[in-house]
Amino acid sequence: MKGHLSLLLVVIPLLAAPVTAALTRARLAWAIAFAVTTACVILAGMQLWAVLNDGIISYELGGWAPPWGIEYRIDELNALVALIISGIAAVTLPYALLSAEQEIPEDKLPLFYSAFLLCFAGLLGITQTGDIFNVFVFLEISSLSSYALISLGQKRQALTSAYQYLIMGTLGATFFLIGVGLIYSVTGTLNMADLAQRLPELTHLKTVHTGFAFIMIGFALKLALFPLHLWLPNAYTYAPTVISVFLAATATKVALYVMLRVLFTVFPEGFVSTTPASELFILSGIAAILSASVYAIYQANVKRLLAYSSVAQIGYMALGIGLASAMGVTAAIIHLFNHALMKGALFMAIGAIIYRVGACRMENIQGLGRQMPWTFGAIVIGGMSLIGVPGTAGFVSKWYLVLAALEQEAWITVAVILLGSLLAVVYMGKIVEALYFRPVEETNVDVKEAPMLLLAPAWVLVIANIYFGLQTEPDRRGG
Amino acid sequence: MDFIIGHYNYWIVIVLMMVGFYTVINRGNLVKKIIGLNIFQVSVFLLYISIGTVSGGAAPIATEGVELYSNPLPHVLILTAIVVGVATTALGLALVVRIKEAYGTIEEDEIHKCDHTL
């Protein structure tokens, strides 16, 4: 059992997906999906525990020794990312019970849960595997299912945004495939650990540099790194709320994980500094923080506002990578974790309002903060974390990021980080102002607090935001 | 000259790649975009197969008296990638059908107009 932990994490959701698809009763499909995600949280927890105690886990698929067979190679970083993904999935599913039932036709629900599990399996697979071609396969599993999930949104724009994401996502994945092919052509291996051993002698080759560039651009598309983020605001706005929660908290995080893995494990130390990658990361990070935050301020649709804010937050992570110091990468990883918590909480709270009023434009939600105090509380604390108020998780990651920038005396970067927080105050302030200080619409006078089943998952994430804001030792989170 | 003729398969890869990529970016028709995406993916398949060739090597099927084989691994990888490509195309076309039902058109600019006149 213990030896097969890393494989079970991927295989259980992958096998459960067709089972739920064959069911006709939505509640039963939900129950299976929930049982699977809960099991995965436990397995991912055990895996992290095992890695922390006994070091790197190497699992040979089918008993074929690497580098010939596919190897699952788990260290602290991917054990942590796997735990984040399963944790978010397990918190999202109780929320899905009410929210998805309202937004998705009853007969589509088993298929919805099936696609959800497939996406979940794909994301876990990306984190677990130690084989770079395997990353591509799992990437496509998770992407294809997420296109289908986004297209289930209520408005017809959901279809066009899913289509747009499909085109951009496939281009990104194919770019990644080209990069992998070029690297394979000079090294003759696909195993990441093996690549790391062979690449140092080959870094002078143009093929390696080209392959590196293709891989980076491919994943920058998946990560929605500025200026390749155009698919993200539409996809998050029109997707069913549950999917906005799940994708915002996991999909971009996994893309970031792959980038970190390729940059710092697969390619040898010092290679990045021979390429313009660091400067580009910092440049696009700065552009993302400034432009996406300003865009967010002018959005009238709250889900779209949060989506633009996600693009800005991805900018912070890019800054962390671009600084290319131990501190910078730590900041990026901590922010990856914290952003999953805060965006998850915020999308869930907005989803609770959508559940009650059926819309999320500023004029629809105004004044509801007084009628839905718990939802409002979740938005305020989630927003504070997004801004980076001390005592919340967002503060910790921004603190590390500022320290990393100060270490290199990158004053402009420091200024941009602080300015980005100010802009976040403005756009979160807009939501809070609409919710609390404006009069309620006449049609919404009778709106009551959201049901417990929607509030509880949101508050689990809110409390996690506070807990990790006070628990500031980075090593606790694998940083 | 030898360089150009000797690498003719790579030139084909580059041409196909650019044709596909340009079609995806330039065409407003959603089906044509998917066709472009397919051409783009196929160019990558050809790239992998070209990489796998060993000069003078036979097809990688175990036969008596043959010592040198081409590398079969890229072939296997591309089989997987073809499956992924087919799945993507199927999903993309399914979305196009749904878009046609919802908007009555599959031209990008007309869809854009529909959403903004609401």
Side-chain angles (χ1 to χ4, degrees):
Chain A
M1 170 73 190
K2 202 178 163 212
H4 297 290
L5 263 184
S6 7
L7 183 65
L8 282 174
L9 260 179
V10 182
V11 167
I12 294 176
L14 203 58
L15 289 182
V19 174
T20 48
L23 294 172
T24 46
R25 285 181 49 204
R27 288 282 165 115
L28 190 60
W30 176 84
I32 292 179
F34 184 58
V36 166
T37 46
T38 319
C40 284
V41 175
I42 297 168
L43 288 175
M46 282 163 69
Q47 176 176 268
L48 183 62
W49 183 252
V51 169
L52 288 177
N53 285 324
D54 313 326
I56 294 172
I57 300 175
S58 166
Y59 182 86
E60 296 161 6
L61 256 76
W64 295 90
W68 294 281
I70 293 171
E71 180 196 17
Y72 280 5
R73 199 177 172 82
I74 323 290
D75 60 14
E76 284 104 331
L77 178 58
N78 44 6
L80 175 80
V81 178
L83 185 63
I84 297 174
I85 296 167
S86 351
I88 295 286
V91 180
T92 316
L93 270 171
Y95 186 87
L97 194 57
L98 287 182
S99 177
E101 266 179 20
Q102 193 196 37
E103 291 180 23
I104 294 162
E106 168 113 31
D107 58 323
K108 298 258 168 52
L109 276 174
L111 290 173
F112 169 79
Y113 290 121
S114 170
F116 183 90
L117 283 176
L118 266 184
C119 184
F120 178 55
L123 292 173
L124 278 179
I126 297 175
T127 61
Q128 298 288 91
T129 189
D131 182 286
I132 202 157
F133 190 81
N134 213 216
V135 169
F136 167 75
V137 176
F138 279 122
L139 176 74
E140 284 301 57
I141 292 179
S142 68
S143 306
L144 285 171
S145 42
S146 59
Y147 308 146
L149 287 169
I150 289 168
S151 72
L152 284 170
Q154 284 172 306
K155 295 212 178 108
R156 62 178 181 181
Q157 285 97 320
L159 295 170
T160 41
S161 17
Y163 181 87
Q164 194 187 11
Y165 185 19
L166 180 134
I167 297 287
M168 303 269 275
T170 310
L171 282 179
T174 313
F175 268 60
F176 177 70
L177 194 61
I178 298 171
V180 170
L182 291 175
I183 303 275
Y184 174 74
S185 70
V186 289
T187 57
T189 179
L190 292 165
N191 183 293
M192 290 186 197
D194 216 26
L195 278 172
Q197 277 180 3
R198 295 194 196 179
L199 275 172
E201 311 157 15
L202 302 167
T203 47
H204 59 282
L205 291 177
K206 273 212 184 90
T207 317
V208 173
H209 284 260
T210 319
F212 175 76
F214 269 115
I215 291 178
M216 283 297 123
I217 299 293
F219 263 92
L221 258 165
K222 286 307 266 187
L223 178 64
L225 189 62
F226 187 91
L228 304 171
H229 65 283
L230 294 170
W231 58 269
L232 187 141
N234 280 332
Y236 285 11
T237 311
Y238 297 113
T241 314
V242 190
I243 297 311
S244 306
V245 173
F246 184 64
L247 290 183
T250 56
T252 49
K253 311 296 169 290
V254 170
L256 187 81
Y257 156 77
V258 177
M259 270 199 162
L260 287 169
R261 180 63 77 202
V262 170
L263 277 168
F264 298 108
T265 312
V266 174
F267 280 87
E269 225 182 314
F271 176 78
V272 182
S273 54
T274 64
T275 66
S278 298
E279 287 81 5
L280 286 177
F281 271 121
I282 291 191
L283 217 60
S284 68
I286 289 176
I289 294 171
L290 296 180
S291 71
S293 301
V294 172
Y295 262 109
I297 293 172
Y298 289 102
Q299 297 307 317
N301 182 319
V302 183
K303 259 172 115 181
R304 188 177 276 273
L305 186 157
L306 290 180
Y308 271 109
S309 146
S310 276
V311 176
Q313 301 299 317
I314 290 162
Y316 285 110
M317 298 173 214
L319 276 186
I321 300 180
L323 290 169
S325 58
M327 186 73 99
V329 177
T330 310
I333 295 170
I334 298 177
H335 200 54
L336 179 159
F337 178 85
N338 292 343
H339 182 244
L341 295 180
M342 50 191 156
K343 259 308 145 42
L346 281 171
F347 267 116
M348 278 183 177
I350 296 298
I353 297 179
I354 297 175
Y355 182 76
R356 280 296 188 223
V357 272
C360 61
R361 296 184 68 82
M362 287 291 181
E363 63 266 20
N364 303 122
I365 66 162
Q366 63 184 22
L368 287 175
R370 291 187 297 265
Q371 277 155 273
M372 305 174 78
W374 286 98
T375 313
F376 181 63
I379 292 178
V380 170
I381 298 177
M384 273 159 54
S385 190
L386 196 65
I387 295 161
V389 176
T392 57
F395 174 71
V396 181
S397 38
K398 287 209 177 134
W399 178 251
Y400 274 97
L401 204 54
V402 169
L403 284 184
L406 285 176
E407 208 175 58
Q408 302 184 1
E409 300 185 347
W411 302 112
I412 299 174
T413 314
V414 177
V416 169
I417 295 168
L418 299 178
L419 189 61
S421 293
L422 275 179
L423 292 171
V425 174
V426 178
Y427 62 70
M428 283 317 297
K430 242 184 86 177
I431 300 181
V432 171
E433 192 252 349
L435 275 172
Y436 200 78
F437 294 105
R438 284 200 222 156
V440 187
E441 289 249 297
E442 270 178 37
T443 46
N444 292 340
V445 178
D446 299 328
V447 171
K448 286 197 261 321
E449 179 59 273
M452 202 50 205
L453 212 50
L454 295 184
L455 281 178
W459 272 89
V460 167
L461 291 181
V462 167
I463 290 166
N465 263 307
I466 299 171
Y467 176 80
F468 288 108
L470 300 173
Q471 192 80 37
T472 47
E473 292 162 55
D475 53 282
R476 290 250 167 154
R477 275 171 277 160
Chain B
M1 199 61 194
D2 270 356
F3 177 77
I4 294 174
I5 296 171
H7 291 79
Y8 76 95
N9 42 350
Y10 291 99
W11 296 113
I12 293 174
V13 167
I14 293 170
V15 169
L16 280 180
M17 199 177 274
M18 290 304 117
V19 167
F21 200 38
Y22 182 76
T23 314
V24 174
I25 295 170
N26 185 46
R27 290 288 147 175
N29 185 306
L30 300 187
V31 175
K32 286 185 182 165
K33 265 184 193 290
I34 291 187
I35 295 173
L37 201 61
N38 265 300
I39 298 174
F40 182 61
Q41 286 179 318
V42 165
S43 75
V44 182
F45 303 164
L46 285 179
L47 174 74
Y48 266 71
I49 302 298
S50 305
I51 288 169
T53 319
V54 175
S55 41
I61 305 165
T63 348
E64 265 181 51
V66 180
E67 292 286 310
L68 192 64
Y69 294 108
S70 282
N71 184 355
L73 186 67
H75 302 182
V76 180
L77 299 180
I78 284 320
L79 275 181
T80 316
I82 289 173
V83 174
V84 169
V86 170
T88 312
T89 311
L91 183 60
L93 290 175
L95 282 175
V96 173
V97 171
R98 291 286 313 278
I99 289 172
K100 169 83 178 168
E101 282 170 8
Y103 290 86
T105 173
I106 53 166
E107 292 294 332
E108 211 170 33
D109 42 352
E110 287 173 28
I111 292 172
H112 217 64
K113 240 182 268 164
C114 286
D115 279 341
H116 283 272
T117 48
L118 277 178

